Amino acid sequence: MQRVYRGTRRARAPASAFAYLRGGPALALAGGVRTRLALLTVAAACHPPPPEPPGVAGPCVGHRVQRVEVDGAPAAAVPQLAVLEGALDEPDRTARIEALALAAVRAEGYADARLSVRRRAGCGVVLEVAVELGPRYRIRAIRFDTDDDFPADARLAVVEDALGRVNTVGGTYVAYRLVRALAQLERRYHDAGWLEARIGTPRARYLAGEVSLAIPVDAGPRYRIGAIRVRGGAAADRQLVAGLVGLRAGQAYDGPRVRAAIERARRARRRIALRAQVADDRPEV
């Protein structure tokens, strides 16, 4: 539809456009959808969304760690810090994790490793992690400071790890694995009759990319079996159990052998209890 104004011919805007301005999309539908879409497109072009900061993925959140940048080593070398990306920014927690990450790196054989974390504010917080690994120390020698009769090769076999690549002469020194292995070695001492054995903290001496380890061992006396008594039940049962146990007075205490003997006896006679007593005045069980 067209109207003429004072001799000038002008096109009238479609009714749908005026309906949109007066009453919103519901009225505009009656006048035509095309006009409404055109108006919405113009409005969106006039108010574009704010651009994201360069190098930052996702929305800008000021109280979270946006990125963790590791320099000097792969991010896998400090996984404790790498996983902070996206977490809430808590400086005290970051400082604690920094200390844990440094201890973990040094435990992997990098005894001279250094680590520092710097916080850079912006759109969120960026953690800049600087890592200096230094040399990875190889083991030059392992010495057990003791004069007991525990087999020397058995000691070394217990502390060796990773198929001869860790905590063995020529291998990498990994402190936390050695501590774990020494706890196992102490149990081996107990099973071999040194019931009071204690293994101390290793002493490490570093020199030119190599480390020498000295491990103190306080073995104490080696215990022996003083007597074996079978009580209760019929005489035939006691004789059977004594034969199945197969232990003799005077033998060195052997934990695995004692446990195996008791298991054999229990399979024959289920209701069997073991009571061990350590002598007060002599190393006997």
Side-chain angles (χ1 to χ4, degrees):
M1 180 184 291
Q2 294 181 342
R3 291 187 180 179
V4 178
Y5 296 90
R6 296 179 183 176
T8 303
R9 188 175 180 180
R10 295 195 309 177
R12 182 183 178 186
S16 59
F18 294 107
Y20 183 88
L21 295 175
R22 289 196 305 268
L27 295 179
L29 285 174
V33 177
R34 183 177 301 175
T35 304
R36 183 184 63 179
L37 294 176
L39 291 173
L40 293 177
T41 303
V42 172
C46 294
H47 302 283
E52 294 181 351
V56 177
C60 182
V61 182
H63 58 280
R64 289 190 177 273
V65 177
Q66 290 295 107
R67 293 194 313 281
V68 178
E69 299 176 351
V70 181
D71 183 42
V78 286
Q80 303 86 349
L81 290 166
V83 298
L84 290 178
E85 191 166 306
L88 292 175
D89 176 38
E90 299 180 11
D92 291 341
R93 180 184 62 181
T94 301
R96 292 194 302 270
I97 295 179
E98 177 185 352
L100 292 174
L102 178 58
V105 169
R106 288 179 173 174
E108 289 292 339
Y110 300 98
D112 296 334
R114 297 183 179 182
L115 188 150
S116 63
V117 178
R118 190 170 69 90
R119 299 170 67 254
R120 187 177 77 237
C123 180
V125 175
V126 177
L127 297 182
E128 298 177 342
V129 182
V131 182
E132 297 180 23
L133 293 177
R136 195 172 193 182
Y137 283 87
R138 300 286 177 179
I139 296 178
R140 181 178 182 179
I142 300 177
R143 186 184 75 247
F144 289 89
D145 293 335
T146 181
D147 57 358
D148 61 67
D149 296 330
F150 196 95
D153 56 346
R155 294 194 202 100
L156 294 174
V158 172
V159 301
E160 181 182 296
D161 202 352
L163 300 177
R165 297 192 303 271
V166 171
N167 291 339
T168 187
V169 175
T172 303
Y173 173 45
V174 180
Y176 80 92
R177 291 192 183 185
L178 180 60
V179 171
R180 184 176 60 191
L182 290 179
Q184 181 182 356
L185 179 59
E186 189 172 280
R187 291 192 294 270
R188 294 281 187 91
Y189 263 84
H190 297 165
D191 273 344
W194 286 277
L195 302 181
E196 301 174 2
R198 295 292 180 269
I199 299 180
T201 303
R203 298 186 300 271
R205 185 168 60 89
Y206 298 92
L207 180 64
E210 292 183 326
V211 56
S212 298
L213 300 173
I215 303 172
V217 179
D218 182 9
R222 189 177 190 185
Y223 282 74
R224 298 185 175 275
I225 297 176
I228 301 174
R229 299 184 180 90
V230 182
R231 297 175 178 173
D237 290 336
R238 293 197 297 270
Q239 185 177 0
L240 173 63
V241 169
L244 290 172
V245 169
L247 300 176
R248 300 188 309 275
Q251 287 180 327
Y253 177 84
D254 187 326
R257 187 175 180 182
V258 170
R259 289 190 290 271
I262 297 302
E263 184 60 28
R264 287 196 304 271
R266 281 176 177 166
R267 285 198 296 265
R269 295 291 187 271
R270 294 187 178 183
R271 300 187 63 180
I272 292 179
L274 171 66
R275 288 184 297 179
Q277 183 176 359
V278 179
D280 294 333
D281 56 346
R282 59 191 183 279
E284 288 185 352
V285 178

